[in-house]
Each structure stands twice: as structure tokens, then as C-alpha cells.
Amino acid sequence: MSFLSRVLPALALMASAWAASPPAPFGAVPAGRQVEWQRMEYYAFVHFGLNTWTDREWGYGDEDPKLFNPSSFDARVIVRQFKEAGMTGVVLTAKHHDGFCLWPTKTTDRNISKSAWQGGKGDLVRDFAQACKAEGMKFGVYVSPWDRSQPEYGREGYVKVFHEQIREVLGNYGPVFEIWFDGANGGDGWYGGAKETRKIPPNYYDFPKIVEMVRRLQPQCVVWGGGESGDARWGGSEQGHVGYPHWATLDSKRGGSGAIGFAHGDRWVPAEGDTSIRHGWFWHQREDSQVKSPDKLLQVWFDCVGRGANLILNVPPNRTGQLSAPDIASLNGFRELREIMLSKDFARGAKAAASFRGSDAKFAPGNLTDGNIDSYWTVDDGNNAPSVEIRFAAPATFDVIRLREQIRLGQRVEGFALDAWQGDDWKEIHKGSTIGNQVLARLSSSCTTDRLRLRITASPAVPCISELAVFRAPVMMVAPSITRDAAGKLSISVQGAGTIRYTTDGSDPSAASTEYREPVVFPSGGTVKARIVAGDKLGPIATRALGMVKTGWKVVSATAGDARNAMDENPKTLWQTHPTSGELPPPQGFVIDLGAEVRIAGFSYLPRQDGIAHGMTDRYRFEVSRDGQTWSLAAEGEFSNIKANPIEQIVPLQAPVSARYFRFTGLHAVEKNHVTAAEVGVIAAP
Ligand code: FUL
């Protein structure tokens, strides 16, 4: 035996005396597929299908498959655009509520092989899957459980069809990173011609069985939704943001909300915030001018990814099968803002000083600033409120601090504070609660210092922190906000230097457009566009479609409730048809005298904005009259998806009609058994 072979084991033995073991996991921990998924942070949603042609948000289930016919679709181009925007994957609506399948399924004739596109030989699931593979992006699918086309929906027969559809998309197209099981179910539908409302029994879809199949076919696939069996949850609104404090856990007994989760719950079910770059999920031409601006997207990102959730951003292709130019411009502007901010981490490589677990270098505070989110800093058991000091080589000016916990060991931290060394003392610059997957702490004002301290103030077990990074938020031009009061005065406001320029003819404001100085009277309504102009720089455009002003309006009658609340331009006051107690079931409505004859091009319904869905109506009737006696039907239909996405609904009439009176009727309520409205408006023909 050589000298070395005798000495080395002895040395190894000595070294192991210093090697500390990692802290035991705390509470619920993520599965490997969830860790991988949480690192994806930001990816695309693609709503594409018959609705793109019928101009609807929810198809009824009877639309002709032939309608689907994009003129110049190329999945590769779209996937590349998402990749260039900094996204990590794409989730395609392989089947939406109308039951039309974007792949040649064997389960139903309502599929792409019956469309006019590519002579029925096309397969969009295949195209997206292949494009993602080629571009190094991940591919996911949305397969709607609610199917308004299927005759057997609500009965056993459909469940088999649904399971088989999932098997086809998961079994035939390569790796799928996420499958989306939408909980939406508006009840009514075509259902093979039955045209009725169908309620489903609890556990109807049999998610435990579905999840078993997902695990078998795609072990790395994250199940979004899917009741108790799912891996990821809805972030709680269709605006993309999630709540704070923010937990990746829910609790099997005590529940928890989508937005916040449940502190130290027993199931790891991280949130995904979903929103569309436009108002609706499918492409509608009228929304081409209502694309979220880069600053708005950055705000959503801070309130979603910056709280530890994933952001799925919908960018719907238009009828050519391509993304629209304003959407691409906004995606790229948003990417630039993130890049400006994230490209310089002032703490990268900075020295960090703190006690650490077993004095083992594996757990040293340098792990916070090494750019590797697998390594982490932790301390000896029992020390649940440690602090660490970061020293920058030179003073840095910053206003955003990113922290991450090592989530493989569970989400622990409940409270933290950040201090900056100012002059000769520490000054607290931020207080936060949860960290989890990540938190982007925004300071109320920027801070310049060469010493930063992180104090963990509350944690039920030793904290395991894998990153502390320090950034400067980008200086950006933001889109103005446009409001109008009950008297019809238009106000435009914005933070930032430059002049506000605006138009009311639908054109994009330029340096030559009217300058906004003070509120202006704007009674007839129309489309207002505004932006900041500073030298040769043009800020993002804000667009607002306003109906005619309601000053001369009178309530003629109402089946119940105070209809003046629906015409006072105050979304906080409600027309509601139930008195103090009990319910007054729909239909419920009111008649308005506009004061003079108007050429009506459409109407708007703003559902209540207080976060409560009671009495929100998802089916309407809009009638008009010249004399208040003889009525004609101007529009009747559905406000699809209004419960999850309670934005203003604008309904253009087939053709403008002249009338002095209108009657609005809510025909059905999404919750409870009465009808409410925050505002109802009229769009006058130009
Ligand atoms: C909702 C659906 O009803 C919408 O149409 C959309 O697909 C959205 C992502 O989820 O629940």
C-alpha cells in the first residue's frame, strides 16, 4: 500500500468532520417537474381556432369547421417570435370550448381535417410541437374539458372522448411541458343539436385517472388545474397578477386561494398568472388598437413573476395565421425593458458575510451572489432569523432586489427586511413577507450604497436562500390614463416628462397631434388615443373607446332597482335588481330615454368591478325604439367568459339604427339569481 493510499482516506475522514448535512426539507416540496416548470417563468399562450373567424370568445359548438383557414400560417415564425421575446415555451389551445380540434383527432369530425386549411391535411398541434422542438422551446397544450359541441357532454360517453383526446395529444407529438384543464363551464351549448344547458356532476371528468395517464405518457408534464390532482394552479384573475404574500402551497383541508395560496400548506401547487396581450383571448380586429403596452406588460410581470408565479401571456394569431404587428412590437418593447434591467446585477460576485451552516463552504453566503440558483446560503438549525451583509466593490444605485429561496427544500420565509448602510448606520429600505421561488422587491425610491443587509425576520425553520440580486428598474415612457367624468369632460394624465398628444379620429398620435393641456369636453364619444411625446421620442399609446355622454339621459322604467346607477359613469354604484333581501331572477332590465334620436352603432356593458360576480349577466338583449312604444331587437347574445375576465363588453350592432330609447335586459346571471350592472353605455355612429 502506497503512502498516498494510506493518507487520503484519513484526510477524507477529517474533511467529513466539517461537512455539514443540508437542512431537512420543510413541509411540502416540489416534484422535479415543478421545479423545472417554475424556472420557465414566462411563456406564451396561443388562442387560435374557429373563434378567430367567428369573432367570438366562446364558440357555441355548431360552427362550420370549414371556416378555419389561415392564409399564411407558419408555426416556426411564431415560435421564433416568442423566443426572441424571451419566452420559454408555448401553450396552444388544441381544443377550446367549441370542441373544434386543431389536430386530426379520431374522436370527432369537428377537427382540422374537415377545415379548408391545407386541403384538410393540416395539423396545428404537430406544427407547433415541431417548431418548438426546432427552436429549443417547450410545447404545451390546452384541451378544454367543457365541450359545447359534444352530444354526450354531461354524460359518461363524453368522458371517454375527452380522455382519448388527451391521450392523442400527449401520446403522438413528443414532449409536452404543461397541459391546461380550464375550469370554465358556462352550462349552455349546442351539444349535438340539443341546444340546452347541461350541469355536470362533481368529479365528472375523473381527473385522478387523467393525471395517471399524463404521468404515464409525459412524466415531466405539469398538470394545470385538474382539481385536487393537479400540479399548478390558476393565479386568481385573468389580469395576470397574483397576490402577495404568495405561497406555492395549498392545503388539502384548509384550501387556499389561487392568488395567495396557503401559508405552509401540505400540497405544492404553484400559481400561474394568465392574461392576454389584448382584452380578449382570441383575435378580434377591433382590439388591434388595444394591445397592452410594454410598460403595462412589465407591471404585470412584476406582479406575477416578481411574486414567484409563472406568467403565461396570450398572443393570438389573426386570420392570416400570423401574430399582428402591434403585438410583436409590444412583446419586443417589453423584452427590452427586462433586458435593460436584468443585464446588470450589481450584487453579482459581491462579497457576502454571515454565519453559515456547520462552517461548511457548501452553505456559505457567497452562494447568494454566485449567479447559480442551485447553490444556497443556510445556517445552523435553530437560527431561524439570521442576517447577511453584502459588500459591493463600489457604491451602487438600485431600486429592485431579487431574492430566491431554495424551493427544493420547501417554502419557508414569512418575513424579511433589507437595510442599506447610509453614512454611519443601517437604514431599513424595504420590508417583505414571502420569498419562495422568487420575489422582486421594489424600493419606494432608489438607493445608493456599498453595503446591503438582508435580515430574515420570520421563518418556521432555517432559511435556505439561493439568490440575492440587485437591479435598477428601467426608466421608461408609460402610456397615459384616459378618463371621462359624468359631465363628459375628458382627462388624460401620465407620470413622466414630455407633452401629452392625443387624437379622437382613431389615428396614432404624433408630435403634430393636438396637445392635451386641460380637461376637454367630449360628449359624442369615440376612440381617444394618447401618448407622451418628448423630443423625438414617442411613448406607448393608450386607447380608450368611449360611448356617448349620458348627461341628457333619463330612466323611463326598470323592472327593479335604481337604473340611474348604470348611467352615472361611476363603476362603484350598481344597478341591482334584488332589494335588501331575496333574489329577483332574470330577465331584468331597464328603459332609457336618450333625450333625442341618435344613430346607435353599438352598446357597452360594464360588469361590476368589485371582484364579486353576483348578478353579473352573461346573456343580454338590447332593444331600441323611436317612440318608446314600438320596440325592435337590435342585439341578443352572450358575454362569453365575463366571470373570469370581467372587462367592459362592447357589442357592435349589425348596422347602426336610429332610436331615442333603448332597453337593456340581462337574461341570465353568472352567480346568484338577480342582475347587476356597473354601467351601460351607447356607442353613437360617427
Ligand atoms: C377561460 C376560458 O373560458 C377563456 O376562453 C380562456 O381560454 C381562458 C384562458 O380561460 O377560463
Side-chain angles (χ1 to χ4, degrees):
M1 201 186 243
S2 74
F3 172 74
L4 267 186
S5 52
R6 263 179 288 129
V7 169
L8 278 182
L11 281 176
L13 213 75
M14 281 163 70
S16 71
W18 299 315
S21 51
F26 177 82
V29 292
R33 65 178 171 275
Q34 289 170 311
V35 174
E36 214 176 288
W37 180 83
Q38 285 183 268
R39 288 187 178 182
M40 289 181 65
E41 288 188 9
Y42 168 53
Y43 37 86
F45 218 162
V46 171
H47 277 66
F48 194 33
L50 293 174
N51 292 340
T52 314
W53 278 265
T54 56
D55 208 14
R56 288 190 188 152
E57 279 288 288
W58 282 358
Y60 193 57
D62 59 350
E63 301 78 13
D64 185 353
K66 286 240 154 25
L67 288 174
F68 185 87
N69 195 12
S71 51
S72 30
F73 171 79
D74 183 343
R76 193 75 187 263
V77 172
I78 295 182
V79 170
R80 211 175 284 142
Q81 282 162 336
F82 289 146
K83 187 177 172 182
E84 277 161 16
M87 293 169 144
T88 53
V90 182
V91 176
L92 171 71
T93 52
K95 181 187 82 166
H96 203 252
H97 308 324
D98 57 45
F100 179 68
C101 297
L102 295 178
W103 77 100
T105 176
K106 297 205 171 70
T107 61
T108 169
D109 272 354
R110 280 181 67 74
N111 75 61
I112 203 153
S113 72
K114 296 284 182 283
S115 78
W117 186 56
Q118 296 191 344
K121 297 275 177 293
D123 183 343
L124 233 82
V125 174
R126 177 199 61 203
D127 288 1
F128 268 104
Q130 286 179 353
C132 284
K133 190 167 176 217
E135 292 295 332
M137 296 272 279
K138 291 196 178 174
F139 174 63
V141 285
Y142 168 116
V143 185
S144 174
W146 180 34
D147 190 323
R148 292 175 113 178
S149 73
Q150 286 285 330
E152 288 300 303
Y153 183 79
R155 308 186 195 120
E156 216 186 307
Y158 169 69
V159 179
K160 291 207 183 80
V161 171
F162 179 47
H163 288 199
E164 179 56 16
Q165 292 176 336
I166 298 167
R167 202 198 57 72
E168 287 180 354
V169 288
L170 294 186
N172 299 335
Y173 296 97
V176 171
F177 83 95
E178 170 170 347
I179 185 159
W180 233 83
F181 293 126
D182 199 327
N185 185 334
D188 70 339
W190 185 68
Y191 304 128
K195 295 191 183 168
E196 58 194 19
T197 297
R198 292 198 183 161
K199 290 218 160 68
I200 52 164
N203 310 320
Y204 172 61
Y205 302 115
D206 197 354
F207 279 115
K209 192 162 168 203
I210 292 175
V211 171
E212 231 177 76
M213 171 165 61
V214 178
R215 299 285 183 255
R216 191 162 29 85
L217 295 172
Q218 298 274 351
Q220 283 308 104
C221 179
V222 158
V223 175
W224 185 101
E228 298 282 284
S229 332
D231 295 312
R233 66 177 203 257
W234 187 39
S237 83
E238 290 190 359
Q239 305 309 312
H241 50 71
V242 300
Y244 189 75
H246 188 77
W247 296 93
T249 48
L250 292 174
D251 196 80
S252 19
K253 288 200 189 68
R254 292 161 297 175
S257 75
I260 288 174
F262 192 93
H264 310 304
D266 60 5
R267 292 173 52 218
W268 191 271
V269 198
E272 180 188 77
D274 64 329
T275 196
S276 181
I277 199 163
R278 294 157 168 250
H279 284 195
W281 291 95
F282 286 87
W283 177 83
H284 309 285
Q285 185 162 32
R286 62 180 177 277
E287 294 181 357
D288 276 354
S289 63
Q290 291 175 352
V291 174
K292 290 190 176 89
S293 54
D295 60 299
K296 289 254 155 49
L297 293 175
L298 187 73
Q299 187 59 50
V300 171
W301 181 83
F302 263 115
D303 295 342
C304 179
V305 174
R307 291 171 173 175
N310 277 2
L311 175 62
I312 183 164
L313 178 67
N314 181 63
V315 193
N318 56 35
R319 289 179 193 161
T320 67
Q322 297 169 324
L323 304 183
S324 306
D327 308 47
I328 301 169
S330 195
L331 280 180
N332 290 334
F334 170 41
R335 182 209 58 221
E336 268 166 41
L337 293 178
R338 292 190 327 275
E339 268 174 14
I340 293 169
M341 175 167 72
L342 301 175
S343 59
K344 178 81 188 120
D345 168 9
F346 295 97
R348 179 65 62 87
K351 288 212 171 69
S355 73
F356 51 101
R357 193 174 180 85
S359 299
D360 182 339
K362 203 162 67 213
F363 304 115
N367 290 336
L368 293 168
T369 53
D370 65 355
N372 171 8
I373 60 170
D374 285 315
S375 67
Y376 59 99
W377 163 65
T378 190
V379 292
D380 290 334
D381 286 337
N383 182 8
N384 291 358
S387 60
V388 57
E389 191 184 322
I390 311 292
R391 288 183 185 225
F392 306 113
T397 301
F398 53 85
D399 49 15
V400 178
I401 295 163
R402 185 170 66 201
L403 299 169
R404 294 181 199 263
E405 279 184 78
Q406 177 45 264
I407 55 169
R408 284 198 170 91
L409 295 172
Q411 184 175 352
R412 302 163 179 236
V413 175
E414 293 169 2
F416 70 89
L418 291 155
D419 309 317
W421 186 258
Q422 305 278 267
D424 53 4
D425 206 356
W426 290 108
K427 186 174 160 252
E428 188 175 282
I429 53 170
H430 185 84
K431 235 194 188 116
S433 53
T434 49
I435 298 178
N437 183 42
Q438 70 173 293
V439 68
L440 286 161
R442 292 184 88 168
L443 307 183
S444 46
S445 58
S446 71
C447 166
T448 304
T449 188
D450 59 354
R451 286 166 73 184
L452 180 68
R453 185 168 70 180
L454 165 67
R455 277 182 289 126
I456 303 299
T457 53
S459 178
V462 286
C464 302
I465 313 291
S466 55
E467 185 188 46
L468 187 157
V470 171
F471 308 106
R472 184 133 209 212
V475 181
M476 57 191 172
M477 293 172 95
V478 298
S481 94
I482 303 170
T483 53
R484 193 181 58 184
D485 66 13
K489 273 206 170 151
L490 186 75
S491 302
I492 309 176
S493 62
V494 71
Q495 275 192 341
T499 30
I500 299 176
R501 305 263 168 192
Y502 73 101
T503 61
T504 54
D505 62 359
S507 64
D508 288 353
S510 67
S513 303
T514 315
E515 180 182 344
Y516 173 82
R517 292 170 194 271
E518 56 189 4
V520 278
V521 187
F522 189 59
S524 53
T527 300
V528 183
K529 290 187 173 190
R531 69 174 1 154
I532 300 188
V533 178
D536 58 355
K537 285 210 175 111
L538 300 176
I541 299 176
T543 305
R544 179 108 197 251
L546 291 161
M548 62 180 287
V549 84
K550 302 170 186 171
T551 38
W553 292 17
K554 277 199 188 68
V555 178
V556 176
S557 63
T559 54
D562 189 349
R564 281 173 305 179
N565 290 337
M567 44 176 274
D568 61 359
E569 299 286 10
N570 179 0
K572 289 197 180 121
T573 58
L574 299 183
W575 165 63
Q576 38 191 338
T577 65
H578 69 315
T580 40
S581 63
E583 299 273 9
L584 267 184
Q588 298 288 345
F590 56 79
V591 175
I592 300 286
D593 176 358
L594 300 171
E597 202 159 286
V598 172
R599 261 171 62 76
I600 302 177
F603 79 96
S604 62
Y605 167 76
L606 180 73
R608 57 194 301 171
Q609 299 291 297
D610 56 3
I612 301 167
H614 297 179
M616 217 179 249
T617 185
D618 57 352
R619 273 170 240 156
Y620 64 83
R621 182 182 301 140
F622 186 77
E623 294 156 290
V624 293
S625 168
R626 292 189 115 130
D627 56 6
Q629 309 290 326
T630 327
W631 293 89
S632 55
L633 181 68
E636 184 167 322
E638 173 183 84
F639 296 135
S640 310
N641 198 30
I642 194 167
K643 187 175 172 189
N645 194 17
I647 55 172
E648 184 173 46
Q649 312 288 310
I650 295 186
V651 180
L653 305 186
Q654 297 270 330
V657 284
S658 292
R660 174 169 172 168
Y661 301 86
F662 78 82
R663 175 158 55 209
F664 171 80
T665 310
L667 301 174
H668 179 255
V670 298
E671 254 181 41
K672 299 280 185 186
N673 213 5
H674 58 268
V675 181
T676 57
E679 287 296 309
V680 172
V682 162
I683 297 147

